[in-house]
Amino acid sequence: MTQSNPAHNAALQIIQQAVTILANWAKVQLPPGYTDTNSVNKILQSNNQSQIQPLRLLFDSVTLKKNQQQQVHYWEAKKISDCRRQGFAHRNPKIYYPQSEEPDLKELRGEVAQALQQINDKDWQNLPLLMLILEKFGSYISYDENDIALVDIARSRAAVAAALAQCPNAKEISLIAGDLSGIQKFIYTISSDGALKSLRARSFYLELVTEELVQQLLEELQLPRTNIIYAGGGNLYILASHDLNLVDTAVSKVRQQFNRWLRNTFNGSLFLALDYLSVPTEAIRNQDFANYWSNVTTKNLTQQKSQKFASDIKDFIKATPSYEPCRICHRDDLPSLKPLIRLNPDSSSACWMCRTMFKLGDNLFDVKAVLRSKRANIKGHLDRIYLPNRYYYFFQEWEQAVVAAKGDEIVFSINDWRIEHYQSKHTLPLLLGNYATRSKEDIESQKQPGFMSAGEMSETAKGISRVGYLRMDVDRLGQIFAQGLKEKKTLPRIAGLSRQISYFFKVYLNSLAEQRLENLPKDTKVKTLTQEPRQNLLFIYAGGDDLFISGAWNEIVEFAFDVYQSFRAYTGYNPDITLSGGISIADAKFPLYQAAEESGHAEDAAKGNGRDSLGLFGQVFKWDEWLGFQDTGIIGTEITHYLQEAEKSTPELMGVLPFVEKLESYQMELNYSRNFVRNLLITAQTQEQFLKKMEERKTKEVIRVQQILKKPEDEKGINNDVMDIRYYLHLPKIAYTLARLPKNVLEDEELRTSLKSPYNAPYFRAIATWIELLNRQ
């Protein structure tokens, strides 16, 4: 974008103003001047008396329930930076967690001064560089209002300024929204020996499709990147001017061009819904903005998705030739199938797209930068793909891409926070959930090392040789954005909420996988089965508000608990901001699309359990039940009251993980372990059969118990005889099981009494299954 562009200049002035605020705070002299921005300040309720101060946790303001007690947390005042340990450069920043005390800003102030002293006159005109500086140093301090980060208020003002550049007194601006549908089918419905790396490549490919879509819209509208409110996972929101002729033309052109390409390239399996609506400038500073945000998605885009390719329906219903289906994605409309692996004629027959993804998957591990260009031939790259009107070249090093770039071409530097890289006019950041482990087989065979295969993952697993697949996402995210902030639903806060959630999935999950113990919350409530690092994981997708990750099954299970506990700490333990997840465990040769489907079903079951749950080992419990937090409210107030009357106190160990941790620590001989597991499973089966029998009888008493289990609010009149059977049925078998444990285990009173407690009756099958898999030879 040229420096003479009014929208670019308006955004640049706002960002310069924000960097000047940082500089004045750090007592650093910068190049002079920026122009008047009173109209923008008025729209966003700017206060000339504002100053930099500690940043309150915006998640504390989210509430979906009435009378929820408001928490008070602050972010640590830190910069986002690369971590370096023992001479090795880790590209992923350390996770910062909120705290109850106000932070000291002195250290950050010194780091800001050190960085800004390197800024020269040329840098002062470099909008991407100044934006990177703001994001790096202004993400964990506030300005104007104590729960809005400096970077969010600056970017919001810059977006409004750019949208109003041509007409500063306009009463409305445009909110553009896009949704790329069909992603799930495109990513997951494949099967082959190299499915893992192909899946990872497809996920990365779709991130670039979204990026290209955003770039084309910005170029058509002549807008800077400050106007991207959100982009990722096939979704986007952009703030634009109220020149309806310009906006309508740009949106229609990009939508038609992309859908024509999607139809021809993917036979209509992917579809772009893209639309806009007008937003009064007054709404930007109050809760009405969230309503427009919701409306453009739920009304405009939903209508388009219900009429996919409606103007091209004649092309879909006419007869077309059918060919041998691709063995990977199962398409049968392409004639040119070739071996998936070029030098192996016995490999699966695959279409050009699947061959492209497989090849990209081989190279993706080492990609550090991506060059966007119209040129068809650029040398020195690892690989390339073609998107509408642009080629994307993948480079092993940032320097290689910058040297190759010409004119206004863009270099996306992946997960890179180094300021010196953005002093080049070409460089923009690209954040990706991108953790992976190198293939040891490739290293040993001296091949170009790619991602670890499913077979390698299963071989490195503890106990049984299996691969785990984890799917997770944020519960009620739509409600959180639409209703959670109540009267605080302003543009800067919605942008900040979106950025912070996206950071967790695109930035901090990498950190959690790479440096596990360093990045887990320093909280006594955090529970882990082991202290071992995570070395056998592959992020197939992580971004927006969800993830799909594969790895050695035992590491996937533990990583799921790490992610949940990290996310809960990151969001200040807000009871309305939770995750649900599902895990499937399969043989390395099990079709990947079926494993993904099974983990999806487990996740759906977790959502059906009132959310904030995990589906694993065929069981669904709240996370607190898996982790063993003594929250007796999980099983209902009336049943809890009954058990407390019978037991007088809750046991020391509760749930699933504490028992597995305790039993694993004893390292029982194989026969003892097998006998324990067998007896525990028999006990669980006896309980389940009895419950099924009670349900089949459909007695009035059973119906009453079921009603209480489903609706526990202050119900009375439970028949204690039925409750005795339900919660004490396990005792004879458990006594038998305990008597046959090794002496040192049997002497553990905490374990013995907790295992006999009726509170733990529901968890026997999950405990036994976990121990069985960990000890399977």
Side-chain angles (χ1 to χ4, degrees):
M1 186 172 296
T2 62
Q3 299 291 314
S4 61
N5 179 277
H8 175 277
N9 290 336
L12 178 62
Q13 290 162 12
I14 298 291
I15 300 302
Q16 287 174 339
Q17 180 184 24
V19 174
T20 301
I21 290 169
L22 268 180
N24 292 339
W25 176 62
K27 296 180 172 55
V28 176
Q29 183 67 39
L30 285 178
Y34 46 80
T35 59
D36 178 60
T37 54
N38 286 336
S39 61
V40 176
N41 290 340
K42 183 178 180 181
I43 290 171
L44 291 174
Q45 295 182 317
S46 176
N47 181 354
N48 291 329
Q49 303 302 314
S50 298
Q51 59 183 356
I52 288 177
Q53 56 187 326
L55 177 62
R56 283 277 306 274
L57 184 67
L58 184 57
F59 295 119
D60 285 344
S61 299
V62 173
T63 175
L64 298 177
K65 301 172 185 174
K66 294 181 179 179
N67 303 320
Q68 179 177 308
Q69 184 177 358
Q70 293 291 308
Q71 302 292 315
V72 178
H73 294 97
Y74 295 87
W75 287 109
E76 292 184 67
K78 299 287 187 179
K79 68 176 181 179
I80 301 176
S81 61
D82 297 333
C83 298
R84 298 183 185 276
R85 294 291 181 271
Q86 298 176 354
F88 296 96
H90 301 291
R91 295 176 65 86
N92 300 304
K94 181 180 178 181
I95 305 177
Y96 301 127
Y97 293 102
Q99 57 191 34
S100 56
E101 302 85 17
E102 285 196 32
D104 185 349
L105 307 184
K106 183 178 179 180
E107 180 183 347
L108 179 62
R109 190 196 301 257
E111 291 173 333
V112 169
Q114 184 178 0
L116 293 187
Q117 285 168 356
Q118 310 303 315
I119 298 300
N120 56 43
D121 290 347
K122 183 180 178 181
D123 295 333
W124 191 238
Q125 304 301 319
N126 186 336
L127 180 57
L129 170 64
L130 298 183
M131 288 170 60
L132 189 279
I133 290 173
L134 270 185
E135 196 163 1
K136 187 180 183 74
F137 295 100
S139 289
Y140 294 106
I141 50 176
S142 68
Y143 186 76
D144 266 354
E145 297 190 52
N146 62 9
D147 61 349
I148 303 178
L150 174 62
V151 65
D152 296 320
I153 193 68
R155 288 188 63 130
S156 297
R157 290 181 187 175
V160 174
L164 295 174
Q166 297 285 11
C167 186
N169 297 317
K171 301 299 183 184
E172 293 181 313
I173 56 178
S174 300
L175 177 62
I176 300 172
D179 183 359
L180 192 64
S181 61
I183 288 177
Q184 298 282 325
K185 184 177 180 181
F186 175 77
I187 291 181
Y188 296 130
T189 312
I190 66 170
S191 57
S192 77
D193 294 338
L196 275 180
K197 62 182 175 184
S198 294
L199 226 64
R200 181 67 191 90
R202 283 171 176 255
S203 169
F204 184 61
Y205 180 84
L206 286 179
E207 287 291 327
L208 295 183
V209 170
T210 304
E211 190 57 53
E212 179 58 27
L213 172 59
V214 166
Q215 280 300 129
Q216 291 198 22
L217 281 169
L218 294 179
E219 289 168 3
E220 291 292 333
L221 295 164
Q222 288 293 288
L223 291 172
R225 288 183 68 86
T226 53
N227 286 58
I228 306 169
I229 307 302
Y230 174 77
N235 295 289
L236 65 91
Y237 294 89
I238 292 175
L239 217 57
S241 76
H242 193 56
D243 184 341
L244 296 186
N245 183 52
L246 173 65
V247 174
D248 189 71
T249 300
V251 168
S252 297
K253 177 181 177 181
V254 172
R255 181 177 60 228
Q256 291 172 12
Q257 177 174 286
F258 259 81
N259 277 327
R260 188 183 308 115
W261 175 74
L262 292 172
R263 189 193 69 196
N264 294 335
T265 306
F266 305 105
N267 199 29
S269 60
L270 289 171
F271 174 78
L272 172 64
L274 186 67
D275 210 341
Y276 69 96
L277 52 70
S278 298
V279 179
T281 54
E282 286 292 315
I284 293 173
R285 64 183 182 185
N286 59 44
Q287 60 184 329
D288 291 339
F289 182 76
N291 298 329
Y292 289 97
W293 178 286
S294 298
N295 286 342
V296 73
T297 303
T298 57
K299 293 182 179 179
N300 300 46
L301 300 189
T302 300
Q303 181 178 358
Q304 287 188 18
K305 288 193 288 186
S306 68
Q307 301 173 349
K308 295 179 181 178
F309 301 107
S311 60
D312 302 314
I313 192 67
K314 63 180 184 299
D315 295 328
F316 283 94
I317 61 175
K318 69 181 181 181
T320 57
S322 180
Y323 304 94
E324 177 189 354
C326 170
R327 297 295 180 87
I328 312 303
C329 69
H330 316 298
R331 283 182 62 175
D332 63 357
D333 62 316
L334 298 172
S336 56
L337 300 187
K338 295 180 181 179
L340 180 68
I341 304 173
R342 187 169 59 89
L343 299 179
N344 183 1
D346 295 328
S347 64
S348 302
S349 299
C351 65
W352 70 267
M353 173 55 72
C354 290
R355 298 196 304 272
T356 300
M357 293 298 102
F358 185 84
K359 181 172 177 286
L360 176 59
D362 269 336
N363 295 318
L364 197 53
F365 197 102
D366 292 309
V367 172
K368 300 297 186 297
V370 182
L371 171 61
R372 176 180 183 261
S373 174
K374 290 183 178 180
R375 293 180 286 156
N377 293 296
I378 295 178
K379 295 181 180 180
H381 57 82
L382 289 171
D383 204 348
R384 74 169 187 179
I385 59 172
Y386 178 76
L387 299 179
N389 300 324
R390 290 293 187 281
Y391 290 94
Y392 278 72
Y393 293 89
F394 305 106
F395 288 88
Q396 194 165 357
E397 298 296 338
W398 168 83
E399 291 84 356
Q400 295 172 314
V402 170
V403 169
K406 294 182 178 180
D408 60 353
E409 293 176 342
I410 295 171
V411 172
F412 294 103
S413 192
I414 298 174
N415 296 343
D416 187 358
W417 296 93
R418 289 170 288 188
I419 290 177
E420 61 270 22
H421 282 185
Y422 296 87
Q423 290 177 301
S424 159
K425 66 176 183 178
H426 298 283
T427 309
L428 294 174
L430 180 62
L431 302 180
L432 291 173
N434 199 36
Y435 181 82
T437 305
R438 287 187 182 275
S439 167
K440 296 180 179 61
E441 292 178 356
D442 288 353
I443 294 173
E444 290 171 0
S445 63
Q446 297 184 338
K447 291 171 56 180
Q448 177 72 22
F451 300 125
M452 177 176 280
S453 67
E456 287 181 273
M457 290 177 180
S458 68
E459 290 303 315
T460 58
K462 181 177 180 181
I464 193 169
S465 296
R466 293 289 186 272
V467 183
Y469 300 93
L470 168 66
R471 293 174 72 167
M472 298 176 80
D473 73 352
V474 178
D475 297 320
R476 295 182 293 259
L477 188 67
Q479 292 182 46
I480 288 172
F481 277 98
Q483 306 166 22
L485 291 172
K486 300 297 187 288
E487 71 280 355
K488 288 187 171 185
K489 293 182 290 188
T490 60
L491 170 60
R493 287 192 178 89
I494 288 178
L497 201 62
S498 174
R499 177 183 60 82
Q500 289 174 12
I501 291 176
S502 185
Y503 269 10
F504 183 82
F505 287 93
K506 286 190 172 185
V507 179
Y508 294 135
L509 279 185
N510 296 326
S511 309
L512 188 62
E514 182 181 62
Q515 296 285 324
R516 181 198 185 200
L517 298 181
E518 181 180 335
N519 285 289
L520 278 172
K522 301 301 183 283
D523 190 324
T524 56
K525 294 190 296 183
V526 172
K527 297 189 177 184
T528 60
L529 181 61
T530 72
Q531 299 295 302
E532 298 170 359
R534 300 277 159 263
Q535 296 181 337
N536 303 293
L537 298 176
L538 171 63
F539 284 18
I540 296 171
Y541 173 75
D545 74 314
D546 61 345
L547 59 84
F548 180 45
I549 296 174
S550 65
W553 78 267
N554 59 302
E555 295 190 22
I556 281 290
V557 171
E558 288 196 63
F559 189 64
F561 293 136
D562 289 352
V563 172
Y564 177 76
Q565 293 179 99
S566 179
F567 182 75
R568 296 288 289 124
Y570 181 79
T571 56
Y573 295 101
N574 186 314
D576 287 332
I577 309 177
T578 57
L579 293 171
S580 290
I583 296 176
S584 63
I585 297 173
D587 184 89
K589 294 185 178 180
F590 190 70
L592 182 52
Y593 71 95
Q594 291 184 10
E597 188 175 279
E598 288 184 4
S599 60
H601 290 326
E603 184 183 21
D604 291 341
K607 296 284 187 184
N609 191 46
R611 303 181 181 88
D612 193 26
S613 302
L614 172 69
L616 171 64
F617 305 138
Q619 307 283 293
V620 180
F621 300 121
K622 296 290 187 181
W623 286 99
D624 280 358
E625 294 179 275
W626 285 106
L627 290 163
F629 292 121
Q630 296 190 348
D631 178 6
T632 54
I634 290 171
I635 57 177
T637 55
E638 199 61 33
I639 294 171
T640 299
H641 176 74
Y642 167 76
L643 291 178
Q644 286 176 340
E645 288 294 314
E647 286 289 293
K648 302 305 179 187
S649 64
T650 56
E652 290 298 318
L653 302 180
M654 279 189 65
V656 180
L657 187 144
F659 282 101
V660 176
E661 181 181 21
K662 174 77 76 169
L663 291 163
E664 278 293 288
S665 70
Y666 282 114
Q667 297 182 335
M668 290 185 293
E669 292 180 11
L670 189 59
N671 286 337
Y672 280 117
S673 177
R674 285 177 174 172
N675 287 334
F676 177 81
V677 167
R678 181 172 60 250
N679 288 325
L680 209 58
L681 287 174
I682 292 172
T683 304
Q685 186 177 6
T686 302
Q687 289 178 305
E688 291 162 3
Q689 288 174 344
F690 178 78
L691 292 176
K692 183 179 181 181
K693 186 177 180 180
M694 285 202 303
E695 186 174 349
E696 290 172 349
R697 287 167 55 189
K698 295 293 182 183
T699 63
K700 292 182 180 180
E701 195 61 54
V702 172
I703 293 172
R704 179 65 173 159
V705 172
Q706 289 175 333
Q707 290 173 339
I708 292 168
L709 286 169
K710 293 178 180 176
K711 187 180 180 182
E713 303 89 74
D714 298 323
E715 298 284 358
K716 304 294 182 184
I718 302 176
N719 184 293
N720 283 352
D721 292 336
V722 175
M723 197 60 65
D724 281 339
I725 297 172
R726 167 69 177 85
Y727 282 94
Y728 290 91
L729 184 67
H730 67 289
L731 285 178
K733 192 65 180 178
I734 287 298
Y736 174 86
T737 301
L738 288 170
R740 281 152 181 78
L741 287 174
K743 183 179 179 181
N744 63 328
V745 181
L746 188 58
E747 289 175 348
D748 188 330
E749 183 178 356
E750 181 183 66
L751 174 66
R752 189 174 66 251
T753 57
S754 296
L755 200 58
K756 290 190 295 184
S757 170
Y759 281 99
N760 286 306
Y763 311 126
F764 292 157
R765 181 174 292 280
I767 294 168
T769 303
W770 198 344
I771 294 172
E772 162 71 4
L773 295 180
L774 283 171
N775 291 280
R776 179 80 66 86
Q777 297 298 309

